[in-house]
Amino acid sequence: MNPFTYYLAKMLLCSGIFYIYYYIVLRNNRFHQWNRYYILMTTLLSLLIPLLQIPLSFSAQPETPAVLTYTAHIITLREHLLPAPHPVNYTLLFTIGYCLIATLLLLRIGYSCLKIYRLIKAQPVQAIPPYLFVQNQAVTAPFSFFSYIFWGAHTNLESREGRQILRHELVHIHEKHSIDKMIMEVITAICWINPFFHLFKRELAIIHEFIADKKAAAQSDVANYAQTILQMALQSSQLAITNSFFHPPIKRRILMLTQLRQPKFSYLRRLLVLPLAAFIFCSLAFVTGNTGQAADLSGPIAVNDTVPTTKTTPVPTVPTTPVDQTDKEEVFTFVEHPPQFPGGEKALIKYLGDHIKYPKAAVDNKIEATIFVQFLVDKEGNIKRVKTVGAPKGYGLEEESMRVVNAMPKWVPGVQNKRKVAVQFNLPIRYSLQSKAPAGSEPVSFIEQPPQFPGGEAALMQYLSKNIKYPAEAEKRKAEGTVFVQMIVTETGELTAIKVLGKSPDGALADEAVRVVKAMPKWKPGKQDGKLVAVRYNLPIRFTL
């Protein structure tokens, strides 16, 4: 879920709770001014609260570093360079459509203001403090807009009905109801997708009429005033941004005029909004500050069976992190100098390309998958505790990957504080049955210049450490594990086709990993033969409590 969609979801939830409370507890009660300000304030709060990100820490301990394990660059068997993809970007289409509709609705508000401006300019304006009086033949029913009262030829100003309508419109001007209307019109135009804002706008308009009816009817007989509403109702044809005497629903207005009793628990009904607002604020604005997540780096290397690729070694940027002390041997996840295959990464790729054989069962069943092998490089360089992580793919892929890793020669061990230490290492191996190269193109066996996060791997590590938040629901379930996120870095640096490889340890962890990757800025694209190309990239992110 991208940040914009996430914000919309939180805004809908917030406004929905506020509206349900209004509908059940406050609607059709006589404390109209309270309801008026309740609608305005809760609408603004629904827009503001989802934007807040207040860190909440449950521990006084310093935050742990954000890198957990070393991960080698992914090795792809029998796969070539990806063609430049042209996937449908539904997020972009949604954003463009959303902005287009919002723009049209804002233009409609502007057009309504233009029509009112033309009415003002068409006839002389009489200044009758505290209002400005505009009489125009085009006005079918009286209405007010800010300090202007618009009057047509159909209503006699000197009649009993005319004087009642005038008093009604003067209340709108004195209470500055036009400001409320403009605020709600702009909000519902920009946030047109939120149905609760439209319901709030409708309720606010009728509350304006309740207030004006109450004050205007206080100076005359209530029955006569109600009769005037009924007699003149069919003449109304007002603009949405104006305040009209004949605003529907007529039945609710008359019932509110004749309702004399105060509702039970009047003050309690209003005060209950305080714990409700506090609950919504705490639920949506606070985020846990206990971020124990970590990011591992993995770059894409497309190779055939034997051809090596360029070397890119992870750059350590955080303090050492010991994670295990089993067998009386302290195991580190990040050290000053990581362990290395003899001869470096090129030699590792060549070794795997030469020794891994695609299992026949997988070939017969057309199985393609990425196997993540985890192992320990001890302080002597020996390979220990070889295992695969993630959901099993079967068909001999795990067994073949572990066989080749177990048969590896001694590595150059990792070094921390000038001493050799044991380090945990991850090795992704991708099995692919056929080339992804387009028809008629030369198959590319390695990428001369891999894509890169702006600022390099150290900047990528820092970005992930800063932006990934451990999901609260996963923390409650004590869920841990590694999420492998796959994406395509296009020739323009855009990140597309973002997805989780294999079975993730927890759905919330997978969603958080994908969210952070989708929010990344443009990358520096990969190059092959001097040309920008699209490249598949795998990013393992390990979460631990």
Side-chain angles (χ1 to χ4, degrees), residues 386-446:
V386 180
K387 64 178 182 179
T388 58
V389 294
K393 306 299 187 297
Y395 299 95
L397 297 179
E398 285 86 2
E399 290 79 1
E400 176 62 16
S401 301
M402 292 173 62
R403 179 191 67 80
V404 173
V405 171
N406 276 312
M408 283 182 178
K410 283 188 176 183
W411 283 42
V412 178
V415 176
Q416 177 65 31
N417 296 328
K418 297 182 180 180
R419 66 184 180 92
K420 297 177 180 179
V421 294
V423 181
Q424 187 172 288
F425 204 93
N426 289 322
L427 182 65
I429 303 174
R430 180 179 174 84
Y431 292 82
S432 179
L433 286 170
Q434 57 186 1
S435 170
K436 297 287 194 294
S441 65
E442 292 294 328
V444 180
S445 56
F446 70 93

Side-chain angles (χ1 to χ4, degrees), residues 253-270:
R253 289 177 61 185
I254 294 176
L255 286 175
M256 199 57 61
L257 273 175
T258 57
Q259 180 180 334
L260 300 177
R261 64 180 183 84
Q262 282 285 87
K264 293 182 179 180
F265 311 111
S266 174
Y267 289 104
L268 181 61
R269 288 169 181 261
R270 284 172 272 185

Side-chain angles (χ1 to χ4, degrees), residues 372-528:
F372 296 92
V373 184
Q374 186 178 92
F375 54 92
L376 180 70
V377 182
D378 69 11
K379 59 185 178 181
E380 304 297 332
N382 297 310
I383 304 298
K384 296 181 177 180
R385 305 180 197 168
V386 180
K387 64 178 182 179
T388 58
V389 294
K393 306 299 187 297
Y395 299 95
L397 297 179
E398 285 86 2
E399 290 79 1
E400 176 62 16
S401 301
M402 292 173 62
R403 179 191 67 80
V404 173
V405 171
N406 276 312
M408 283 182 178
K410 283 188 176 183
W411 283 42
V412 178
V415 176
Q416 177 65 31
N417 296 328
K418 297 182 180 180
R419 66 184 180 92
K420 297 177 180 179
V421 294
V423 181
Q424 187 172 288
F425 204 93
N426 289 322
L427 182 65
I429 303 174
R430 180 179 174 84
Y431 292 82
S432 179
L433 286 170
Q434 57 186 1
S435 170
K436 297 287 194 294
S441 65
E442 292 294 328
V444 180
S445 56
F446 70 93
I447 301 169
E448 294 172 354
Q449 184 176 334
Q452 190 179 50
F453 185 85
E457 291 185 349
L460 172 58
M461 193 178 302
Q462 184 178 8
Y463 169 87
L464 292 171
S465 301
K466 181 179 178 181
N467 290 277
I468 295 181
K469 306 297 180 185
Y470 213 108
E473 55 269 34
E475 191 173 359
K476 290 178 182 178
R477 294 191 291 267
K478 297 182 179 180
E480 296 180 297
T482 302
V483 178
F484 296 92
V485 181
Q486 186 180 89
M487 55 188 167
I488 293 176
V489 183
T490 68
E491 70 277 6
T492 60
E494 301 282 352
L495 302 184
T496 63
I498 300 170
K499 63 180 181 179
V500 174
L501 283 178
K503 184 179 179 181
S504 64
D506 186 85
L509 299 182
D511 291 342
E512 176 63 13
V514 171
R515 178 191 70 81
V516 173
V517 172
K518 285 185 176 180
M520 284 181 176
K522 281 187 177 182
W523 284 42
K524 181 180 178 181
K527 283 187 178 181
Q528 177 69 24

Side-chain angles (χ1 to χ4, degrees), residues 99-170:
C99 293
L100 179 62
I101 294 175
T103 301
L104 292 174
L105 293 174
L106 289 172
L107 288 175
R108 188 188 69 170
I109 296 173
Y111 179 69
S112 297
C113 292
L114 179 62
K115 291 176 70 175
I116 293 174
Y117 177 77
R118 288 175 177 173
L119 288 175
I120 295 172
K121 291 299 181 181
Q123 298 291 337
V125 178
Q126 302 176 48
I128 310 174
Y131 64 93
L132 300 171
F133 189 79
V134 179
Q135 190 163 17
N136 193 303
Q137 296 290 338
V139 177
T140 57
F143 65 89
S144 61
F145 185 68
F146 288 95
S147 59
Y148 289 90
I149 292 180
F150 296 83
W151 209 271
H154 305 285
T155 306
N156 184 0
L157 185 59
E158 300 300 327
S159 66
R160 175 175 60 85
E161 292 84 1
R163 290 193 298 272
Q164 289 174 337
I165 294 171
L166 181 62
R167 286 195 298 270
H168 180 96
E169 298 305 326
L170 284 172

Side-chain angles (χ1 to χ4, degrees), residues 110-358:
Y111 179 69
S112 297
C113 292
L114 179 62
K115 291 176 70 175
I116 293 174
Y117 177 77
R118 288 175 177 173
L119 288 175
I120 295 172
K121 291 299 181 181
Q123 298 291 337
V125 178
Q126 302 176 48
I128 310 174
Y131 64 93
L132 300 171
F133 189 79
V134 179
Q135 190 163 17
N136 193 303
Q137 296 290 338
V139 177
T140 57
F143 65 89
S144 61
F145 185 68
F146 288 95
S147 59
Y148 289 90
I149 292 180
F150 296 83
W151 209 271
H154 305 285
T155 306
N156 184 0
L157 185 59
E158 300 300 327
S159 66
R160 175 175 60 85
E161 292 84 1
R163 290 193 298 272
Q164 289 174 337
I165 294 171
L166 181 62
R167 286 195 298 270
H168 180 96
E169 298 305 326
L170 284 172
V171 174
H172 284 310
I173 292 174
H174 181 264
E175 295 287 337
K176 296 180 173 56
H177 289 167
S178 293
I179 296 177
D180 300 357
K181 277 186 169 289
M182 290 302 296
I183 291 173
M184 293 303 297
E185 285 292 335
V186 171
I187 290 175
T188 52
I190 296 174
C191 303
W192 57 267
I193 201 170
N194 189 336
F196 300 108
F197 285 169
H198 294 278
L199 294 172
F200 269 142
K201 182 180 77 171
R202 186 180 66 181
E203 287 297 315
L204 183 62
I206 190 62
I207 287 171
H208 286 166
E209 301 309 314
F210 291 162
I211 295 171
D213 289 342
K214 181 179 179 181
K215 293 188 176 183
Q219 303 176 33
S220 62
D221 182 64
V222 173
N224 289 333
Y225 187 87
Q227 185 179 2
T228 301
I229 295 176
L230 287 172
Q231 288 176 348
M232 308 295 286
L234 296 178
Q235 300 180 27
S236 176
S237 179
Q238 79 277 9
L239 297 170
I241 60 174
T242 63
N243 298 287
S244 171
F245 177 77
F246 312 112
H247 191 286
I250 303 302
K251 181 180 179 181
R252 282 182 66 187
R253 289 177 61 185
I254 294 176
L255 286 175
M256 199 57 61
L257 273 175
T258 57
Q259 180 180 334
L260 300 177
R261 64 180 183 84
Q262 282 285 87
K264 293 182 179 180
F265 311 111
S266 174
Y267 289 104
L268 181 61
R269 288 169 181 261
R270 284 172 272 185
L271 291 176
L272 279 176
V273 73
L274 298 178
L276 176 67
F279 169 76
I280 294 174
F281 182 83
C282 294
S283 300
L284 300 180
F286 285 106
V287 294
T288 177
N290 184 16
T291 56
Q293 73 283 355
D296 304 301
L297 300 179
S298 172
I301 300 175
V303 300
N304 59 13
D305 287 347
T306 58
V307 183
T309 130
T310 57
K311 174 182 179 180
T312 52
T313 305
V315 180
T317 60
V318 297
T320 178
T321 312
V323 296
D324 191 10
Q325 296 189 11
T326 57
D327 299 334
K328 297 181 180 180
E329 183 176 35
E330 189 176 31
V331 177
F332 286 77
T333 58
F334 210 91
V335 290
E336 295 168 355
H337 300 285
Q340 191 179 50
F341 186 84
E345 192 166 336
K346 288 184 179 180
L348 171 60
I349 294 170
K350 186 177 187 304
Y351 170 85
L352 293 172
D354 289 341
H355 291 82
I356 292 184
K357 304 301 179 184
Y358 213 120

